[in-house]
Amino acid sequence: GNHSDRGRRQEPEEKVDDRHDRHDRHDGRRREDPAESRDEGPVSDTNAVLLTNAQMEAYNEPIPNNIPAEKRMALVAEKLERFMVNFDDKVQILDLKSGQAVIKDRNSFIKRYTCVFRESGSKLSGTCTKRFYFDAVRGPTYCLDYETHESLVTAMPGTPPDGKLGVRDPRTEHLMVLYEEKGGKLTKMWIKQDSDKLGSDPYAGEEGRIA
């Protein structure tokens, strides 16, 4: 799919700040204002919405469970490559409440998602149930998604993220994930359990609550 397809794929979207309506809410494309194009750095042709949609599209590519291991690992590697192209070399996953790094660098990030893609198999599914986003012509853009992850398999708590010391049983998780885009890549993800299931409540967020 092209950018406009990705921008439309996940609804609903609620805009936090339209910055004088330079953002097309349907396809997520940024419109450049020449008056602000002088000395503030390069304009990116993407934003947090487009990159978040693209990484979730790759995340949801099924990996069959019932094929030889070497073939599965080749598919995992290809899926991981399509997934990682959306992320910066210094990507981190942070706890939204404490600000502490859960995954502190790209190497750990790759190990985590290699484990997720390898172990979760064909039933892994991530869906965005609600979205808020902040767009700017220059500088970082942000996307806050309420996500549901089904058949998610990760390493046992307190063990290396690659799962070499064991993995948890498949589970469903409801998460709030705040994505930051800088320079055309996703640089940070802040994660929090959606313990109140706000993402599945069609009325939650009507009063502007985003965290």
Side-chain angles (χ1 to χ4, degrees):
N2 57 30
H3 281 341
S4 60
D5 287 340
R6 288 177 185 150
R8 284 194 293 265
R9 184 164 286 120
Q10 299 185 30
E11 294 291 344
E13 295 182 359
E14 295 187 32
K15 186 180 268 187
V16 175
D17 182 348
D18 66 5
R19 290 298 176 98
H20 309 300
D21 201 32
R22 285 194 293 274
H23 187 293
D24 184 326
R25 74 178 288 133
H26 295 295
D27 68 5
R29 293 182 186 279
R30 181 180 300 150
R31 298 180 191 140
E32 182 178 346
D33 183 345
E36 296 189 11
S37 298
R38 289 190 271 278
D39 301 316
E40 302 176 24
V43 173
S44 171
D45 63 355
T46 189
N47 57 33
V49 170
L50 293 174
L51 290 167
T52 299
N53 287 349
Q55 62 87 26
M56 190 64 86
E57 187 176 307
Y59 182 95
N60 284 330
E61 293 175 10
I63 301 288
N65 299 71
N66 56 349
I67 60 174
E70 62 272 14
K71 191 169 183 181
R72 284 186 73 238
M73 288 311 298
L75 292 175
V76 167
E78 292 170 6
K79 173 174 176 170
L80 186 70
E81 185 176 349
R82 287 188 287 272
F83 179 74
M84 290 302 301
V85 74
N86 302 289
F87 295 94
D88 188 75
D89 287 344
K90 296 181 180 179
V91 63
Q92 290 185 316
I93 301 179
L94 306 164
D95 178 77
L96 185 61
K97 192 169 185 179
S98 69
Q100 297 295 311
V102 179
I103 297 292
K104 67 181 186 304
D105 56 35
R106 187 180 178 90
N107 187 43
S108 299
F109 192 90
I110 288 172
K111 287 180 178 179
R112 172 187 168 84
Y113 285 99
T114 297
C115 176
V116 169
F117 297 161
R118 181 187 70 234
E119 301 294 337
S120 302
S122 60
K123 293 184 178 180
L124 177 66
S125 172
T127 55
C128 170
T129 56
K130 186 174 296 183
R131 166 174 289 168
F132 300 86
Y133 63 96
F134 172 85
D135 189 41
V137 172
R138 299 187 177 278
T141 63
Y142 294 90
C143 182
L144 174 65
D145 281 2
Y146 288 82
E147 299 177 353
T148 300
H149 294 257
E150 298 177 78
S151 295
L152 175 65
V153 177
T154 57
M156 294 291 288
T159 68
D162 58 9
K164 65 183 179 182
L165 296 183
V167 296
R168 298 176 62 180
D169 289 335
R171 65 190 189 276
T172 296
E173 284 214 341
H174 301 275
L175 300 173
M176 296 167 57
V177 187
L178 176 64
Y179 297 87
E180 177 188 72
E181 172 268 334
K182 279 185 182 177
K185 298 288 183 181
L186 294 172
T187 52
K188 289 186 176 68
M189 297 161 59
W190 287 268
I191 293 182
K192 179 181 183 295
Q193 294 286 333
D194 182 15
S195 51
D196 296 327
K197 303 293 190 300
L198 297 176
S200 54
D201 179 351
Y203 300 106
E206 291 296 316
E207 297 176 3
R209 177 179 178 184
I210 62 170

